[in-house]
């Protein structure tokens, strides 16, 4: 099972120098995947959780591809209705070629109603638009590559039944976000036709164990987090993405805390029997 990191590409503490250090840290610790988020318009609903500056994912990943050597690069998740699907298909295919086949395109329907309004995209149609875009991506990539290009892995994000149906229909992986282990077990058992399982989980280390049946996977003591990873491996996860951002934009000014947590997990996970 591979491990990745969701890197904050937003917030008051984020700039090119910090993004460069994030990339060096993630790759240097031996993680397999670095992913970033997606927003286009800094509307109030977005800015409250993910304030400016917000670095556009394709631009950011293209730059990171040039300053890294091994780590895969991806989106968690690109909001498909925000862009014309032909543009997404071209940008993703180009980035896949320019990065030497390191792109993972995680996609979702989006949640920020005000951002949809600012972009002139109907919020209530986002599911239909996402389904249409997924079909366009597959069709364009097949036509342009003729079966000879580097395929772009397509992860379908989300925990709803609609997201699961999309993952079954067109996804290379199902990419649920920040869930509990019991919910994941139940959902996987109820959907045996799901493709590869690649969850994004929280990463919050605590000094004392969290005794709560609703504990998010990835939160608690280092022992609890390592056990979560082992349980996810047993459930069949191919990749697990660790998300060290907890919702306070000021965290982006202090990335060292996240780096220490990632270092602890990477060190113990790689040396576990």
């Amino acid at each position: 099972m591979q491990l990745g990191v969701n890197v904050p590409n937003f917030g008051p503490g984020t700039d090119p120098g910090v993004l460069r250090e994030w990339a060096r840290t993630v790759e240097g610790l031996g993680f397999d995947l670095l992913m970033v988020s997606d927003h286009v318009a800094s509307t109030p609903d977005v800015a409250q959780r993910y304030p400016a500056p917000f670095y556009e994912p394709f631009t950011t990943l293209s730059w990171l591809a040039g300053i890294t050597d091994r780590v895969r690069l991806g989106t968690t998740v690109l909001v498909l209705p925000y862009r014309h699907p032909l543009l997404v298909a071209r940008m993703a295919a180009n980035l896949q070629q320019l990065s030497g086949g390191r792109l993972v395109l995680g996609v979702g329907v989006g949640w920020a109603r005000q951002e949809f309004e600012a972009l002139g995209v109907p919020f209530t149609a986002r599911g239909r638009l996402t389904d249409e875009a997924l079909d366009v991506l597959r069709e364009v990539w097949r036509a342009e590559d003729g079966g000879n290009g580097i395929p772009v892995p397509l992860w379908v994000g989300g925990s709803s039944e609609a997201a699961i149906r999309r993952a079954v229909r067109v996804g290379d992986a199902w990419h649920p976000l920040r869930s509990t282990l019991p919910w994941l077990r139940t959902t996987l058992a109820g959907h045996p036709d799901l493709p590869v399982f690649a969850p994004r989980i929280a990463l919050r280390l605590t000094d004392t164990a969290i005794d709560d049946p609703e504990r998010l996977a990835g939160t608690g003591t280092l022992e609890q987090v390592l056990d979560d990873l082992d349980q996810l491996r047993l459930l069949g996860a191919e990749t697990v993405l660790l998300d060290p951002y907890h919702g306070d934009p000021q965290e982006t000014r202090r990335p060292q805390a996240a780096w220490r947590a990632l270092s602890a997990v990477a060190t113990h996970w790689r040396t576990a029997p």
Side-chain angles (χ1 to χ4, degrees):
M1 185 179 80
Q2 295 192 334
L3 295 183
V5 180
N6 183 25
V7 168
N9 53 319
F10 54 83
T14 300
D15 60 26
V18 171
L19 286 169
R20 183 184 295 110
E21 286 306 309
W22 266 106
R24 289 174 176 170
T25 298
V26 170
E27 189 165 62
L29 288 172
F31 286 99
D32 304 289
L33 174 64
L34 183 161
M35 302 188 97
V36 297
S37 304
D38 178 35
H39 283 288
V40 175
S42 187
T43 49
D45 50 355
V46 171
Q48 182 178 5
R49 298 166 62 176
Y50 309 106
F54 201 111
Y55 290 84
E56 195 278 328
F58 279 113
T59 308
T60 303
L61 293 175
S62 296
W63 177 63
L64 291 176
I67 61 174
T68 57
D69 299 312
R70 174 194 57 80
V71 70
R72 292 189 296 161
L73 305 162
T75 53
T76 177
V77 291
L78 191 83
V79 183
L80 273 185
Y82 286 172
R83 300 168 180 83
H84 195 288
L86 291 177
L87 177 62
V88 174
R90 175 57 55 85
M91 290 192 296
N94 287 171
L95 180 51
Q96 182 72 322
Q97 294 169 337
L98 293 169
S99 67
R102 290 191 282 152
L103 178 64
V104 176
L105 190 67
V107 300
V109 301
W111 57 268
R113 184 181 292 269
Q114 293 173 346
E115 188 174 22
F116 274 87
E117 293 173 354
L119 295 170
V121 181
F123 183 78
T124 56
R126 65 194 190 283
R128 173 180 59 80
L129 293 171
T130 297
D131 288 332
E132 293 173 357
L134 287 167
D135 290 336
V136 170
L137 293 180
R138 289 298 194 195
E139 182 178 351
V140 169
W141 290 338
R142 281 195 297 266
E144 291 191 350
D145 291 342
N148 299 315
I150 306 173
V152 179
L154 192 59
W155 291 9
V156 177
S159 301
S160 67
E161 285 296 319
I164 292 171
R165 288 195 298 271
R166 289 186 189 98
V168 170
R169 187 173 69 87
V170 296
D172 295 307
W174 176 46
H175 184 49
L177 313 177
R178 300 176 74 94
S179 307
T180 67
L181 274 172
W183 182 86
L184 288 169
R185 285 195 189 95
T186 300
T187 303
L188 289 167
H191 297 85
D193 52 348
L194 273 165
V196 169
F197 168 49
R200 186 178 96 198
I201 66 173
L203 176 61
R204 183 195 289 270
L205 295 184
T206 60
D207 294 329
T208 58
I210 299 176
D211 184 16
D212 183 347
E214 296 301 315
R215 178 182 68 88
L216 290 176
T219 62
T221 62
L222 179 60
E223 291 74 19
Q224 283 183 300
V225 173
L226 293 172
D227 184 66
D228 289 343
L229 292 175
D230 199 43
Q231 294 302 314
L232 290 168
R233 179 184 59 81
L234 293 173
L235 284 172
E238 179 187 72
T239 303
V240 174
L241 188 72
L242 301 173
D243 185 356
Y245 179 67
H246 308 303
D248 179 3
Q250 295 305 315
E251 295 175 36
T252 62
R253 299 185 186 275
R254 304 179 295 274
Q256 294 81 7
W259 296 343
R260 287 192 295 270
L262 290 166
S263 178
V265 171
T267 300
H268 289 82
W269 176 253
R270 299 303 183 192
T271 58

